[in-house]
């Protein structure tokens, strides 16, 4: 959104397309604020869902790590031990990446919140 001299322009994010224009006499400020707040609520809802999925995925990976560790203790075959250790390393790397992804999602929501706060 861009506002200037009583006119609010609503642009598409990924293209150079004007979605709509509000004039001051159409109570543009109120409509624009509602539009921004609704968009922010959608972003926040999507972020919360993504964070929830990340937590669930992290729990699943922890369970897989426990299972792989138990299998590694039980197995005697060198080839199977090497395969299990490789899988453990891969899963552990993925577990280590999840907090960074969660932080990036939270930063994105914060950036949107600052934008909304600056306008409203």
């Amino acid at each position: 959104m861009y506002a200037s001299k009583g006119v609010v322009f609503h642009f598409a994010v990924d293209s150079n397309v004007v979605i709509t224009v509000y004039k001051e006499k159409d109570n543009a400020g109120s409509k624009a604020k509602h539009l921004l707040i609704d968009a922010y609520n959608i972003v926040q809802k999507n972020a919360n869902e993504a964070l929830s999925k990340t937590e669930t995925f992290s729990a699943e990976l922890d369970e897989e790590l426990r299972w792989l560790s138990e299998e590694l203790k039980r197995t005697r075959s060198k080839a199977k031990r090497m395969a299990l250790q490789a899988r453990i390393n891969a899963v552990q790397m993925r577990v280590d990446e999840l907090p960074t992804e969660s932080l990036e999602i939270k930063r994105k929501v914060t950036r949107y919140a600052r934008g909304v706060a600056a306008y409203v």
Side-chain angles (χ1 to χ4, degrees):
M1 287 191 149
Y2 176 75
S4 178
K5 298 180 184 177
V7 178
V8 178
F9 297 94
H10 186 200
F11 295 102
V13 176
D14 297 329
S15 63
N16 293 332
V17 177
V18 175
I19 295 175
T20 189
V21 177
Y22 299 107
K23 296 180 184 177
E24 188 173 333
K25 67 180 182 182
D26 294 336
N27 197 10
S30 176
K31 287 181 182 179
K33 286 179 185 178
H34 288 301
L35 233 154
L36 277 174
I37 291 170
D38 290 344
Y40 174 72
N41 288 337
I42 290 170
V43 166
Q44 191 172 28
K45 178 183 167 207
N46 291 341
N48 288 338
E49 289 174 0
L51 289 172
S52 176
K53 287 179 184 178
T54 301
E55 290 174 7
T56 303
F57 186 55
S58 178
E60 291 172 0
L61 290 177
D62 287 340
E63 181 64 31
E64 184 177 358
L65 279 173
R66 281 192 292 266
W67 182 83
L68 288 168
S69 296
E70 291 298 320
E71 283 293 310
L72 186 63
K73 290 177 187 176
R74 282 187 244 141
T75 190
R76 295 178 187 228
S77 166
K78 186 174 181 178
K80 189 172 180 181
R81 289 179 68 81
M82 288 176 58
L84 287 170
Q85 189 60 51
R87 179 65 184 155
I88 288 172
N89 292 343
V91 171
Q92 187 61 50
M93 284 176 57
R94 185 67 180 121
V95 167
D96 293 342
E97 292 171 354
L98 290 177
T100 304
E101 292 176 9
S102 295
L103 183 62
E104 188 57 38
I105 291 170
K106 291 175 184 177
R107 284 182 179 164
K108 179 181 173 184
V109 171
T110 302
R111 281 193 299 267
Y112 279 110
R114 286 183 183 159
V116 171
Y119 185 80
V120 175

